[in-house]
Amino acid sequence: MTGGRELSWDGCVNVRDLGGLGRVRPRAVVRMEAPTRLSEVGWAAAWAHGVRTVIDLRDPDEREPERAPRPPGIATVYVPQDPVGTPFYEQWKEIDSLASPLYYPAMLVEHPEPVVTAVRAIANAAPGCVVFHCAGGKDRTGLLALVVLTLAGAAPDEIIADYLLTYDRMKRRYDELGFRDQLAAVTELLTARDTTFEASLTSTIAALKMPDFLLDNGLSDTELAALYARLTL
């Protein structure tokens, strides 16, 4: 259930506030798909929600022209998450195209830097709500949400339920693009490896020791304090 977390921003279908999960306060962080289709009305709704920073997790070659200009008071921070050109990236492109929770544990161990850089961007953002997104708001966005929510004490079932919402929210978009049903496709991939969404995500969350993961990978004590102050009730 999403309660009052669902946001209606014209042009986007996968927008939700993470407030209410664990100790996250409302209007601190929002996850969404790329705001490419967000209209002027949609951007006005984001501004009214308090959004002052947008963190883009996509690679540079994924960025597309947007339907409407962003309000001038919203800062954009680019923090690409895919470690393109590494053996890790080539390996996981073959396994799941970095489009399932299977790659999460290996990413956090082998390439924690992009994730921690994104967390740092949240901590250091100007006052106001922070939005983060990738393309569909599912995988890279899902991993960052998992890290943030684990830090904020969200229960595994809350994190998993939030992750799975994207499959329903984005189904219409994927149908428009002629893509296979993504929930069915990823379920099949996980089943072939004798796991499930729940088991895969639960094991990732259990192995993620907080705040040690962030501090051990470069987040400072000052940044951690700023992150807690931004996120938590």
Side-chain angles (χ1 to χ4, degrees):
M1 300 294 292
T2 58
R5 298 196 300 113
E6 287 287 354
L7 300 173
S8 180
W9 294 354
D10 183 55
C12 286
V13 298
N14 187 29
V15 190
R16 55 190 179 274
D17 198 306
L18 296 183
L21 301 180
R23 299 189 302 277
V24 179
R25 63 177 180 80
R27 298 178 182 254
V29 281
V30 167
R31 61 177 292 174
M32 68 181 297
E33 82 267 37
T36 309
R37 302 190 187 194
L38 210 58
S39 67
E40 288 187 17
V41 171
W43 278 115
W47 180 268
H49 195 72
V51 173
R52 298 298 181 267
T53 302
V54 175
I55 299 174
D56 188 338
L57 307 177
R58 298 173 297 173
D59 298 326
D61 61 3
E62 294 180 84
R63 299 168 197 160
E64 300 174 341
E66 295 182 349
R67 175 181 171 189
R70 303 181 180 202
I74 293 181
T76 303
V77 181
Y78 297 104
V79 191
Q81 292 296 288
D82 287 341
V84 176
T86 65
F88 171 93
Y89 185 75
E90 296 306 316
Q91 175 190 2
W92 283 96
K93 269 204 327 184
E94 293 295 321
I95 295 172
D96 70 352
S97 296
L98 288 85
S100 89
L102 283 174
Y103 84 92
Y104 284 0
M107 178 76 177
L108 292 172
V109 170
E110 297 180 42
H111 291 281
E113 299 86 0
V115 180
V116 175
T117 299
V119 171
R120 179 177 292 112
I122 296 173
N124 292 338
C129 181
V130 176
V131 168
F132 56 88
H133 72 85
C134 51
K138 179 170 71 72
D139 300 301
R140 291 163 289 190
T141 297
L143 180 54
L144 181 56
L146 182 152
V147 168
V148 167
L149 291 172
T150 300
L151 176 71
D157 62 340
E158 291 181 297
I159 298 171
I160 293 165
D162 180 70
Y163 173 87
L164 289 170
L165 280 172
T166 290
Y167 287 93
D168 178 61
R169 302 297 184 271
M170 287 296 291
K171 186 176 188 306
R172 183 176 66 180
R173 290 282 189 260
Y174 291 136
D175 288 347
E176 290 172 1
L177 295 169
F179 292 169
R180 182 185 174 195
D181 180 83
Q182 291 298 292
L183 181 59
V186 179
T187 298
E188 183 179 294
L189 179 69
L190 296 172
T191 300
R193 286 157 178 79
D194 297 319
T195 191
T196 63
F197 284 105
E198 292 77 10
S200 180
L201 289 166
T202 297
S203 64
T204 300
I205 296 163
L208 188 57
K209 305 306 179 187
M210 286 295 194
D212 296 6
F213 167 78
L214 298 174
L215 295 172
D216 291 346
N217 288 288
L219 199 74
S220 70
D221 289 331
T222 300
E223 289 167 333
L224 179 64
L227 185 62
Y228 276 128
R230 174 179 295 281
L231 293 177
T232 57
L233 296 165

